[in-house]
């Protein structure tokens, strides 16, 4: 119950209700640019996305708008389990907080802001080789692998 209360309190502070209704009044191109500005700073911690934003900003604007969202997690939340083949594959980039990745090989890795996990889901069918758990209150930037592939596939890459 404590975790549920913490989530409700955090979400109530994050986006006021009137802001959400105001966002619906903003034009689609402006919302696309807004999402790009919100997410690109964290996404570009990854070297591929750092280069891709420079080379193909038009693609990344659409990726940030349609395929990226935030996920807030509480202490002890399991994001995925070892051996899981995700029905909805996603890559995670840590924006705030600390997570722990415990691999099949019984190795524990601490993930901090700017670190990422499950990148392979963007490129292939993937089975997680470890369990990802939140060590404290954390915010993740999540990239939906299927939407990412769909959007990228709509553009000519010479």
């Amino acid at each position: 119950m404590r975790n549920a209360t913490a989530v409700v309190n955090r979400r109530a502070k994050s986006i006021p209700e009137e802001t959400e209704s105001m966002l619906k009044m903003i034009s689609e191109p402006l919302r696309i640019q807004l999402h790009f500005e919100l997410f690109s700073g964290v996404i570009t911690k990854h070297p591929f996305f750092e280069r891709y934003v420079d080379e193909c900003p038009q693609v990344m604007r659409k990726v940030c708008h349609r395929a990226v969202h935030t996920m807030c997690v509480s202490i002890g939340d399991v994001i995925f389990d070892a051996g899981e083949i995700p029905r909805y594959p996603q890559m995670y980039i840590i924006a705030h907080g600390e997570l722990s990745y415990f691999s099949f090989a019984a190795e524990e890795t601490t993930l901090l802001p700017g670190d990422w996990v499950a990148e392979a889901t963007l490129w292939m069918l993937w089975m997680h080789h470890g369990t990802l758990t939140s060590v404290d209150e954390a915010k993740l930037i999540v990239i939906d692998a299927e939407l990412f592939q769909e959007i990228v596939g709509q553009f000519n890459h010479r």
Side-chain angles (χ1 to χ4, degrees):
M1 186 63 172
R2 181 189 56 76
N3 282 350
T5 303
V7 168
V8 168
N9 289 338
R10 183 175 55 247
R11 287 188 180 158
K13 293 176 187 174
S14 64
I15 299 180
E17 189 175 326
E18 57 274 1
T19 303
E20 277 190 52
S21 59
M22 287 173 51
L23 284 175
K24 293 176 184 171
M25 296 173 18
I26 297 173
S27 70
E28 184 76 4
L30 188 54
R31 275 188 283 148
I32 290 170
Q33 188 63 32
L34 178 63
H35 287 137
F36 178 73
E37 296 299 328
L38 285 171
F39 296 127
S40 64
V42 175
I43 289 175
T44 55
K45 302 289 185 195
H46 187 285
F48 168 79
F49 289 112
E50 180 182 29
R51 175 102 187 250
Y52 203 46
V53 162
D54 287 341
E55 298 285 330
C56 301
Q58 73 282 11
V59 180
M60 283 307 297
R61 278 193 293 276
K62 295 206 182 230
V63 167
C64 287
H65 180 60
R66 289 193 47 226
V68 179
H69 67 275
T70 59
M71 176 181 179
C72 294
V73 294
S74 297
I75 298 169
D77 284 355
V78 175
I79 291 70
F80 57 75
D81 286 302
E84 178 182 348
I85 299 172
R87 183 172 182 180
Y88 303 104
Q90 300 173 325
M91 176 182 174
Y92 304 90
I93 303 172
I94 292 70
H96 301 288
E98 180 180 326
L99 287 91
S100 177
Y101 181 81
F102 196 76
S103 73
F104 278 142
E107 296 174 1
E108 186 173 13
T109 303
T110 299
L111 300 172
L112 300 170
D115 291 337
W116 59 85
V117 65
E119 174 192 357
T121 62
L122 299 179
W123 317 117
M124 65 183 80
L125 181 62
W126 182 252
M127 178 185 72
H128 294 298
H129 291 232
T131 299
L132 183 64
T133 307
S134 183
V135 174
D136 61 12
E137 302 293 316
K139 180 179 175 183
L140 309 176
I141 303 300
V142 181
I143 304 171
D144 180 302
E146 292 173 348
L147 285 174
F148 171 79
Q149 292 168 7
E150 176 187 318
I151 294 163
V152 168
Q154 294 173 352
F155 287 86
N156 183 10
H157 294 80
R158 294 184 225 172

